[in-house]
């Protein structure tokens, strides 16, 4: 019998005004999986993590955690009370000597040595490291980390890699460190075209399969647009009075037109430019109006 996943996301959607970040996302994370979430900047990676931990609202959909699991979250820009000491900001140790010792050990690895220093005296990078230590110290069942390697030097990154590999930790993270993704993750989620694509391997595996997906998508779009051009010429030549067969073909044309519009406008502007040789602003404006770039 299959185990209940640690996290199950169903039909999750989020938009800001007219901008749709993602629509009807579906994915799950099982115990022990180490997942990298990747996407172009500004497409909703950090927003998605914030929604998963309840810090950001969602438009629709369900987020289901396995009963009883504890989730630790490292946000991209953590905030602290500037009057708190490093140790007090790190976690509620309640004077427990064992917890204090563990805090000292992890903070030392992250080059935070003065546990009595007020948080307001720390740089933004140092505060991010204290926040990372806080998440690791709580020993959650599942870690959700937003840019954990930011403000870490190579030695600290290697230590964090070793820490995360230890045992069967469950992890979902966003990072721009491709080498870190490659060494840590065994599953990649790509947020693209307002949906999620799943790659069951590390970052190197993702690169290969992602290119195959893009190549297949371009080939499909090229076929659709070649057929669209032919049918568009037929529509222009045919008289207004059409028989039953012509009407059937006309209906099929409009279905093809809708598909071509949708597929082409989902490509990145650079991909469209290379494929069709049109200017980016013209393409974007026509897509925004619901038109195909080849429409008259």
């Amino acid at each position: 019998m299959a185990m209940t996943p640690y996290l199950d996301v169903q039909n999750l959607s989020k938009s800001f005004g007219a901008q749709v970040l993602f629509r009807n996302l579906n994915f799950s994370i099982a115990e022990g999986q180490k997942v990298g979430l990747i996407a172009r900047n500004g497409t909703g990676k950090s927003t998605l993590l914030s929604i998963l931990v309840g810090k950001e609202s969602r438009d629709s959909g369900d987020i289901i955690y396995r009963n009883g699991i504890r989730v630790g979250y490292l946000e991209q820009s953590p905030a602290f009370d500037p009057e708190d000491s490093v140790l007090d900001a790190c976690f509620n140790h309640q004077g427990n000597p064992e917890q204090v010792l563990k805090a000292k050990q992890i903070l030392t690895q992250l080059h935070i040595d003065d546990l009595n220093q007020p948080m307001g005296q720390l740089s933004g990078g140092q505060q991010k490291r204290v926040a990372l230590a806080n998440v690791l110290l709580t020993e959650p069942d599942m870690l959700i980390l937003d840019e954990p390697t930011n403000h870490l030097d190579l030695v600290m990154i290697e230590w964090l890699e070793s820490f995360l590999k230890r045992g069967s930790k469950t992890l979902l993270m966003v990072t721009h460190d491709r080498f870190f993704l490659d060494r840590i993750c065994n599953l990649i989620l790509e947020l693209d075209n307002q949906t999620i694509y799943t790659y069951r391997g590390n970052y190197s595996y993702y690169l290969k399969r992602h290119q195959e997906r893009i190549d297949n998508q371009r080939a499909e779009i090229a076929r659709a647009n070649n057929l669209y051009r032919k049918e568009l010429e037929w529509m222009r030549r045919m008289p207004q009075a059409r028989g039953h067969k012509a009407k059937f073909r006309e209906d099929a044309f409009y279905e093809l037109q809708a598909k071509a519009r949708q597929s082409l406008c989902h490509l990145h502007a650079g991909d469209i430019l290379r494929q069709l040789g049109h200017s980016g602003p013209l393409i974007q404006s026509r897509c925004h109006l619901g038109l195909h770039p080849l429409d008259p």
Side-chain angles (χ1 to χ4, degrees):
M1 182 177 177
M3 292 283 288
T4 303
Y6 264 17
L7 171 63
D8 190 21
V9 175
Q10 301 174 2
N11 301 315
L12 187 65
S13 298
K14 177 65 177 179
S15 59
F16 291 106
Q19 181 190 8
V20 178
L21 287 183
F22 41 81
R23 183 182 287 114
N24 295 327
L25 297 189
N26 290 278
F27 64 91
S28 62
I29 297 175
E31 181 178 356
Q33 283 187 323
K34 293 178 172 58
V35 182
L37 173 63
I38 62 175
R40 290 172 293 132
N41 288 337
T43 54
K45 300 186 298 293
S46 293
T47 300
L48 176 55
L49 296 190
S50 294
I51 291 172
L52 294 180
V53 297
K55 287 184 171 290
E56 178 81 41
S57 65
R58 58 189 184 268
D59 295 343
S60 60
D62 295 308
I63 299 168
I64 305 166
Y65 287 96
R66 185 191 294 183
N67 287 338
I69 74 162
R70 294 173 298 114
V71 177
Y73 173 52
L74 174 68
E75 55 190 313
Q76 192 171 50
S77 301
F80 294 97
D81 185 333
E83 302 300 321
D84 280 350
S85 70
V86 167
L87 189 58
D88 288 336
C90 199
F91 70 120
N92 184 17
H93 56 86
Q94 296 180 335
N96 185 310
E98 184 178 340
Q99 289 181 319
V100 171
L101 177 60
K102 191 172 182 180
K104 288 180 178 179
Q105 291 172 339
I106 291 182
L107 287 164
T108 299
Q109 293 289 349
L110 297 174
H111 296 184
I112 303 292
D113 300 313
D114 186 354
L115 304 192
N116 295 314
Q117 186 175 8
M119 290 297 296
Q121 296 180 8
L122 270 60
S123 68
Q126 289 172 320
Q127 291 191 21
K128 182 70 180 270
R129 279 182 263 150
V130 172
L132 175 60
N134 188 17
V135 172
L136 301 181
L137 280 163
T138 57
E139 298 184 337
D141 301 296
M142 181 176 180
L143 290 160
I144 297 180
L145 308 178
D146 196 346
E147 299 288 1
T149 61
N150 277 10
H151 310 292
L152 303 187
D153 62 22
L154 181 59
V155 173
M156 288 186 273
I157 289 173
E158 289 177 344
W159 173 84
L160 180 60
E161 177 186 338
S162 175
F163 184 94
L164 294 176
K165 283 182 174 179
R166 223 174 292 152
S168 58
K169 295 179 178 66
T170 304
L171 170 67
L172 171 62
M173 71 172 172
V174 168
T175 178
H176 287 91
D177 188 331
R178 297 181 177 186
F179 297 103
F180 195 72
L181 276 172
D182 212 30
R183 293 190 295 262
I184 295 289
C185 295
N186 51 31
L187 189 144
I188 300 293
L189 296 176
E190 181 188 17
L191 181 57
D192 188 33
N193 294 341
Q194 303 172 359
T195 191
I196 282 282
Y197 298 91
T198 301
Y199 303 84
R200 301 192 180 280
N202 63 6
Y203 187 75
S204 295
Y205 177 86
Y206 154 76
L207 287 177
K208 178 181 177 182
R209 297 303 181 192
H210 167 79
Q211 191 57 50
E212 290 176 359
R213 179 176 72 80
I214 295 299
D215 291 344
N216 291 337
Q217 185 181 34
R218 287 174 178 164
E220 177 62 28
I221 289 171
R223 285 192 295 270
N225 280 294
N226 286 335
L227 181 57
Y228 177 73
R229 288 187 182 96
K230 294 177 183 177
E231 293 300 292
L232 183 59
E233 286 301 313
W234 176 82
M235 288 286 289
R236 287 168 174 166
R237 291 196 310 267
M238 287 295 292
Q240 291 300 311
R242 297 182 174 96
H244 176 73
K245 290 183 179 179
K247 181 65 169 59
F248 178 82
R249 186 173 178 180
E250 181 182 356
D251 292 342
F253 165 80
Y254 288 119
E255 291 180 11
L256 175 64
Q257 183 183 54
K259 179 181 177 181
R261 283 175 180 169
Q262 182 183 31
S263 299
L264 191 57
C265 291
H266 277 170
L267 277 181
H268 302 165
D271 294 323
I272 301 172
L273 226 152
R274 284 190 293 273
Q275 185 156 333
L276 297 178
H278 289 294
S279 68
L282 173 63
I283 290 167
Q284 290 170 354
S285 65
R286 294 183 71 80
C287 287
H288 180 72
L289 293 172
L291 301 173
H292 189 282
L294 298 179
D295 285 347

